[in-house]
Amino acid sequence: MLLCFTIINAIVCMVLYHMLDVRPRKQITQAVKWMYKEYISNDHQCFTEPNSGIIEVPVKNMKEKYYRNHLMCSVNEQSEWEADIIIEKEIDKLRISYPKYVYPVSGYLQLITVDKWNIKKLKVIIMPHSHMDPGWKSTLQSYFTTYGKNILNNIISMLSKNKSTKFIWSEMVFLSEWWNQASQNKKDDLKRLLHNKQLEITTGGWVMTDEGTAHYTAMLDQLIEGHQWLQQNLGIQPTAGWSVDPFGHSPTMAYLLKHSGINSMVIQRIHYSIKKHLAEQRSLEFFWRQGWASTDSTDIFCHMIPFLSYAIQHSCGPDPYVCCQYDFFKKQCYHGSQKVDVQSVDDNNIDTLGRQLWEQFQKKAELYRTDVILVPHGDDVRYATSLEWHNQLNNLEKLMTYINSRPDFQTEVKFGTLSDYFNEVAMSKTRFPTLSGDFFTYADRGEDYWSGYYTTRPHYKHIIRRVQDLLRSLEILFTYCLADAIRKTNQTVIDSFTDKIGDLSYIRQQVALFQHHDAITGTSTSKVMKDYGKRLHSGYQKGILLLEKILSYLAKDENEPDVDEKISMTFNWTQPHKFIDQKVINLSRPK
Ligand SMILES: [Zn+2]
């Protein structure tokens, strides 16, 4: 029921978006009328008078209004549900000031600096995490074997030993692979850690989906695949979203998360000037509202990471030179033009290291409205070795004990999950602004806009739409056939279709995998892209076999009609235009 509701709403949303693009007035009028008639109830404020308002204004003004107000519900400019912050309007106010790029000395200089700060009573949640790409520089299998398997094994053993330590995990494609190989004891340990809230599954998608080039139905599908896996194997439902590496963020994803049981979410890769602008207003946390919303029903609480990335050197506060010193996995940090050794915490340096870290926490808190801050502690493929776990945890625990023991610091530091953080925020009873709009196009330095991935590797972008198309057709036809067999109590057919549910799931997982932010975007290496291609091909071939089976059943069911052509499809990787050679099947009725 929820799925149907979500899909219908997503369809409405997308149709609205496309139809209200800047087009001739007549078309817009028809679109509004059609939408009103088809989908919008009478109590929907934005559409109470479909023949007035925006439809009456000239196209020229329409463009302006559309641009400012984003979507259809903004027809009524006096809407009480218009968000406090509308990104399209805010962009007009921005002065893009380019951050300096000083690679390789120190990476990017932070654009957000905090010069003035006061000591605040503060709670700090340090959240260990490890970002896992299921294919980027290496393939999914390679990442799993080299890192994923070890990280997950370490999570089980280290969290079991240390009850105060916490961790989050996001990519179900890795967790399911680990699960398939894990002993029953380890599976039980995983369940226990989830139950006692030391470990949290965040978002729970099959992958951390791209939000710019992925079709919204595929974004939803990969989320369903992950959530169903979690429900079937672990009996849990994620409530917090963690999307920190996709290249820009879409309100459509926020909408899908909201209607999938997620209450709060984190985003990261936002144009640096927008981050700075929102930080100046202390609006890096907000309720993300759909531009067309006429109530607060689409609002989802969103936390924006303030600095350059989710890595440790950009997490503890505004100064990456300082924060880098708390990445105890590294041997050295850049500090200006100097390389500085990362020191283990001991009696001689704990005063200096503890105070520096505390100052960064206090400065970071200046950017937010509450008395609690989130400090993610991780990076790509982290916590794969027990040595790293030992170094990170031992040193952090010493620092936490030190800071907590200083009454003058007025700061309490502890490990936590994403939900621990959001719960603290909720308890603060702080008022947050609402915001509507999207966060495209992303830029992380100078004039380098991440727009190339919208179109790069078009062959793969074409292929995924075709395989997705086949998958959707299969899902509909498969369900119809199985339901038909059940209705006719034909057990042989029921069994034969039930046996193929795994095939359907396999195809869905290949489509879901390709929504990863380095897959459909085309940002992986050529070797990895070919691996993705092979997986899609394999899913596609399975799909064709399943389609043949379905058509065979349907043909028999239709009083054995003539089948003029046997289905024939080929897959040609070197000639994209010959990717699929599909013959039409004529299932004509008997003469
Ligand atoms: Zn990534």
Side-chain angles (χ1 to χ4, degrees), residues 23-184:
R23 290 178 189 181
R25 192 169 108 187
K26 203 168 182 181
Q27 278 182 283
I28 291 166
T29 307
Q30 286 169 349
V32 171
K33 282 181 178 170
W34 177 76
M35 289 305 303
Y36 181 75
K37 188 179 163 204
E38 291 293 318
Y39 290 106
I40 311 299
S41 61
N42 286 330
D43 60 357
H44 194 292
Q45 291 188 10
C46 300
F47 295 90
T48 48
E49 295 180 82
N51 293 318
S52 62
I54 199 164
I55 301 163
E56 303 301 323
V57 301
V59 173
K60 189 179 169 198
N61 290 339
M62 171 67 196
K63 281 183 185 173
E64 288 175 9
K65 281 172 187 282
Y66 167 77
Y67 197 71
R68 281 205 313 273
N69 294 317
H70 196 55
L71 281 179
M72 207 160 189
C73 288
S74 305
V75 167
N76 180 358
E77 289 197 55
Q78 283 77 48
S79 170
E80 63 179 300
W81 297 104
E82 186 172 273
D84 301 322
I85 301 168
I86 299 171
I87 288 298
E88 285 83 350
K89 285 183 181 175
E90 298 303 309
I91 285 173
D92 291 341
K93 301 176 194 168
L94 288 182
R95 277 182 44 232
I96 308 286
S97 49
Y98 300 122
K100 289 176 186 168
Y101 180 55
V102 286
Y103 178 85
V105 178
S106 61
Y108 311 105
L109 283 180
Q110 295 288 55
L111 193 66
I112 297 173
T113 56
V114 179
D115 301 322
K116 293 179 185 170
W117 59 282
N118 298 309
I119 297 176
K120 296 166 290 299
K121 198 168 175 2
L122 196 62
K123 288 180 184 170
V124 179
I125 302 285
I126 295 183
M127 185 182 77
H129 71 100
S130 185
H131 178 67
M132 292 294 296
D133 294 313
W136 176 38
K137 290 180 178 173
S138 302
T139 62
L140 167 62
Q141 192 54 46
S142 175
Y143 275 132
F144 176 75
T145 309
T146 314
Y147 300 106
K149 189 176 172 183
N150 298 329
I151 297 168
L152 284 158
N153 282 334
N154 278 325
I155 288 172
I156 302 295
S157 61
M158 301 307 279
L159 264 56
S160 296
K161 280 183 209 161
N162 189 335
K163 305 293 182 200
S164 68
T165 310
K166 302 213 173 182
F167 213 91
I168 61 163
W169 190 265
S170 296
E171 299 82 7
M172 293 310 100
V173 60
F174 284 108
L175 191 61
S176 71
E177 187 69 19
W178 176 87
W179 182 264
N180 292 340
Q181 302 177 17
S183 66
Q184 191 55 48

Side-chain angles (χ1 to χ4, degrees), residues 131-134 136 208 245-247 269 310 380 516-518:
H131 178 67
M132 292 294 296
D133 294 313
W136 176 38
M208 188 182 285
D245 206 25
F247 321 129
R269 289 192 185 268
Y310 50 84
D380 291 8
H516 165 57
H517 56 265
D518 290 308

Side-chain angles (χ1 to χ4, degrees), residues 492-536:
T492 309
V493 176
I494 293 170
D495 291 345
S496 104
F497 272 102
T498 307
D499 284 348
K500 294 292 177 188
I501 286 177
D503 284 5
L504 204 53
S505 185
Y506 176 85
I507 304 162
R508 201 181 294 122
Q509 287 173 7
Q510 307 319 308
V511 172
L513 174 67
F514 202 70
Q515 309 313 311
H516 165 57
H517 56 265
D518 290 308
I520 191 168
T521 54
T523 53
S524 291
T525 62
S526 296
K527 177 187 75 177
V528 175
M529 290 309 295
K530 281 180 186 162
D531 184 66
Y532 281 128
K534 281 181 191 164
R535 290 171 186 275
L536 283 178

Side-chain angles (χ1 to χ4, degrees), residues 166-216:
K166 302 213 173 182
F167 213 91
I168 61 163
W169 190 265
S170 296
E171 299 82 7
M172 293 310 100
V173 60
F174 284 108
L175 191 61
S176 71
E177 187 69 19
W178 176 87
W179 182 264
N180 292 340
Q181 302 177 17
S183 66
Q184 191 55 48
N185 281 347
K186 281 190 176 171
K187 289 179 182 177
D188 292 342
D189 286 344
L190 175 73
K191 286 180 181 173
R192 180 176 46 77
L193 292 169
L194 289 165
H195 182 71
N196 71 13
K197 302 190 186 307
Q198 273 184 270
L199 177 64
E200 180 178 15
I201 302 297
T202 47
T203 307
W206 196 246
V207 296
M208 188 182 285
T209 179
D210 170 52
E211 301 177 27
T213 59
H215 195 281
Y216 74 94

Side-chain angles (χ1 to χ4, degrees), residues 254-368:
Y255 183 79
L256 298 179
L257 290 176
K258 168 78 180 182
H259 291 284
S260 303
I262 306 284
N263 305 318
S264 312
M265 59 186 289
V266 172
I267 54 175
Q268 204 300 114
R269 289 192 185 268
I270 310 291
H271 191 294
Y272 51 83
S273 286
I274 296 176
K275 276 194 181 185
K276 186 181 181 189
H277 181 70
L278 292 176
E280 285 166 353
Q281 303 170 53
R282 298 178 92 193
S283 296
L284 290 165
E285 290 185 323
F286 47 84
F287 284 97
W288 201 348
R289 178 172 293 177
Q290 298 301 307
W292 42 265
S294 62
T295 69
D296 59 359
S297 64
T298 66
D299 290 4
I300 178 168
F301 186 72
C302 183
H303 168 98
M304 186 183 290
I305 288 179
F307 307 122
L308 182 71
S309 88
Y310 50 84
I312 293 170
Q313 74 180 114
H314 299 291
S315 281
C316 78
D319 190 338
Y321 303 149
V322 175
C323 292
C324 180
Q325 293 172 49
Y326 302 92
D327 186 349
F328 300 102
F329 177 67
K330 287 186 174 176
K331 287 191 168 59
Q332 290 187 311
C333 280
Y334 287 109
H335 193 159
S337 57
Q338 302 291 316
K339 275 188 179 177
V340 180
D341 287 343
V342 174
Q343 304 172 42
S344 291
V345 180
D346 58 30
D347 291 345
N348 295 323
N349 61 23
I350 194 160
D351 279 328
T352 309
L353 288 175
R355 175 171 280 279
Q356 278 185 171
L357 184 59
W358 168 75
E359 281 185 7
Q360 290 298 308
F361 291 160
Q362 289 282 343
K363 286 182 176 179
K364 186 171 185 176
E366 290 289 332
L367 306 175
Y368 292 95

